[in-house]
Amino acid sequence: MPAQFKTTLRVRHYECDAYGHVNHANYLRYMEQAAFDASAAVGYDEARYRQMGTLWLIRETDIEYLRSLVYGDSVEITTWVGDFRRVRSRRFYEFRHVDSGELIAKAATDWVYLDRTNGRPVSVPDEMIAAFAPDGIEAEPRDKFPAAPPPPPGLYTMNRMVEWRDIDGAGHVNNATYLNYMEECGIRAARHFGWDVEKMRAQGFGVVARRHRIEYRQQAVLGEDLSISTFLSDVRRMSATRHYIITRATDGAVIAQAQTLWVFVNVQTGSLMRVNPEFITAFQTHIAES
């Protein structure tokens, strides 16, 4: 069995968004901190990785939101390593409300082990595997990142320059920051098609993420111009999938791609509701054919 690590965090006010809930991207920041602390707990802290000349970088994130956290809540995060492959490792996470014990969210990250100097993958040492999983561990099957449908004519694109605040200690855009880019792009796209947040609220509904899947392909660094494109698919009565493609503007290289399952909720009760037909009509050219 792999070693489990638990940590408890209290939600701070500045971690919440305009809905009063913890912003989606902050769950990824919680996960990153829990992963670093879990690694340090078995003898592999940042100082040791630097001494070894290696580091772990996230290749893919998959998170499902089941409930919302609000200011003042305390959440217990449990994390453990699910498997090791030659140069990769999968880590799982569970978020539970401390008072109620409710499962708030569950997630997985796929990490790649790299040489810190040249950025190339290197084999995970046996002694490291033994530290994280003293009793051994079996690799679990993995799903490939789902292919997106061809973009529709109404593909929406915004540009974003990588700023200093976006960069983490590894010198590139932090993985959680991509969620902030995606969120902003989705909001701008909705406004472009005539449905800003204020209009949705006036109609009594909001759009909330149920699941994010993100694949990080390359690193984006300070000063680079990024193009963030988005479109919808699989629109149903109470949900829709939004796709994102993040590219480097100078050469068109794909930096990251993502898919988000969005659900429509009543802003007063938080319960699921059918989407306004006028909303779907406005987005007709923005919806890909399945």
Side-chain angles (χ1 to χ4, degrees), residues 110-186:
D110 189 18
W111 298 74
V112 182
Y113 193 54
L114 302 174
D115 183 290
R116 191 179 286 267
T117 303
N118 58 32
R120 295 176 181 171
V122 293
S123 297
V124 182
D126 291 340
E127 58 270 24
M128 185 185 295
I129 296 174
F132 282 99
D135 300 322
I137 194 169
E138 293 185 7
E140 296 187 6
R142 304 185 186 199
D143 296 332
K144 288 186 177 181
F145 192 86
L155 177 73
Y156 179 85
T157 299
M158 74 172 221
N159 294 322
R160 177 73 154 77
M161 188 181 76
V162 176
E163 300 178 5
W164 176 252
R165 62 182 176 180
D166 302 333
I167 302 299
D168 63 16
H172 61 236
V173 174
N174 183 266
N175 69 296
T177 300
Y178 288 94
L179 259 186
N180 295 131
Y181 292 169
M182 291 158 49
E183 181 178 60
E184 180 62 27
C185 187

Side-chain angles (χ1 to χ4, degrees), residues 41-106:
V42 297
Y44 288 87
D45 59 10
E46 177 63 12
R48 185 168 182 184
Y49 283 121
R50 287 189 176 276
Q51 184 180 39
M52 296 167 65
T54 57
L55 77 164
W56 288 98
L57 289 184
I58 295 176
R59 170 70 175 177
E60 188 175 332
T61 296
D62 184 357
I63 180 166
E64 183 178 3
Y65 307 92
L66 305 173
R67 296 286 186 274
S68 297
L69 289 170
V70 298
Y71 170 56
D73 282 345
S74 291
V75 59
E76 181 183 69
I77 304 169
T78 303
T79 183
W80 66 96
V81 171
D83 68 22
F84 281 102
R85 305 200 176 196
R86 189 175 65 85
V87 299
R88 297 168 70 175
S89 179
R90 197 177 199 192
R91 178 173 285 280
F92 292 96
Y93 311 78
E94 282 189 352
F95 295 73
R96 289 191 180 274
H97 195 284
V98 169
D99 293 334
S100 68
E102 272 190 292
L103 183 63
I104 301 297
K106 54 185 180 180

Side-chain angles (χ1 to χ4, degrees), residues 148-159 178-193 212 226-233 240-247 256-262 283-288:
L155 177 73
Y156 179 85
T157 299
M158 74 172 221
N159 294 322
Y178 288 94
L179 259 186
N180 295 131
Y181 292 169
M182 291 158 49
E183 181 178 60
E184 180 62 27
C185 187
I187 290 171
R188 291 191 189 185
R191 185 187 305 124
H192 174 78
F193 287 95
H212 288 298
L226 303 179
S227 293
I228 305 159
S229 300
T230 187
F231 61 94
L232 296 173
S233 76
T241 298
R242 181 168 282 286
H243 303 265
Y244 304 86
I245 307 164
I246 302 175
T247 60
Q257 62 175 342
Q259 296 184 12
T260 299
L261 175 64
W262 292 95
F283 282 84
Q284 282 302 319
T285 62
H286 189 63
I287 301 172

Side-chain angles (χ1 to χ4, degrees), residues 195-207:
W195 282 87
D196 58 21
V197 173
E198 290 75 18
K199 184 174 179 178
M200 287 187 239
R201 281 185 166 178
Q203 294 289 330
F205 73 93
V207 188

